[in-house]
Amino acid sequence: QVQLTESGGGSVQPGGSLRLSCSASGDGDRRDCFGWFRQAPGKDPEGVATIYTDYSNQYYAERVAGRFTISVDSAKNTVYLQMNNLKPDDTAMYYCAARRVTYSKRSSCKEHIRELFADWGQGTQVTVSS
């Protein structure tokens, strides 16, 4: 099992920026695919971005492409989500998730399917309003 801890959420005005962090620890096998998911009140959960850490392959939802950037610092076992030009529709609880895909199945990391991820953080709230 891998423990994931998110931080960096908060309240910002439209157009503002936030940087979320997801720190991983525990005794599980090495994870090589990390993702960010979010859920707004009254809406279905949705995938935001995933990253295959060995090559930093990045996969974004259309709603955030061009504004959000997912990255990884392997030495720190930490994944980040840089969020720029935030919009009210970005308001949600953001969750970090992790899984292992291995090199041969690395392309599956692009799939933003919650059921494929076994490790989850507690979430961090992002609120965008005037």
Side-chain angles (χ1 to χ4, degrees):
Q1 184 178 359
V2 172
Q3 294 292 124
L4 304 177
T5 303
E6 303 101 328
S7 62
S11 181
V12 298
Q13 295 182 338
S17 298
L18 285 173
R19 189 193 194 196
L20 307 183
S21 298
C22 173
S23 298
S25 62
D27 58 0
D29 293 336
R30 183 178 71 91
R31 269 55 170 173
D32 53 10
C33 179
F34 286 78
W36 288 96
F37 295 77
R38 68 185 183 184
Q39 185 170 22
K43 297 184 178 180
D44 294 329
E46 62 176 341
V48 176
T50 52
I51 183 168
Y52 177 67
T53 60
D54 287 359
Y55 296 96
S56 295
N57 296 25
Q58 304 158 48
Y59 312 98
Y60 298 96
E62 292 183 4
R63 289 179 176 85
V64 307
R67 299 186 297 119
F68 291 11
T69 302
I70 188 171
S71 62
V72 61
D73 185 337
S74 296
K76 297 181 180 295
N77 294 318
T78 301
V79 174
Y80 304 94
L81 184 68
Q82 178 68 46
M83 305 183 294
N84 297 326
N85 192 24
L86 284 161
K87 303 176 180 180
D89 285 347
D90 296 320
T91 296
M93 184 72 74
Y94 283 70
Y95 299 92
C96 178
R99 60 184 291 223
R100 180 166 175 78
V101 296
T102 74
Y103 176 82
S104 62
K105 298 182 178 180
R106 62 194 182 280
S107 63
S108 69
C109 190
K110 70 178 183 295
E111 305 292 344
H112 296 175
I113 302 174
R114 291 177 296 142
E115 289 76 11
L116 296 177
F117 291 81
D119 305 306
W120 291 86
Q122 295 297 310
T124 185
Q125 179 67 40
V126 172
T127 302
V128 185
S129 63
S130 299

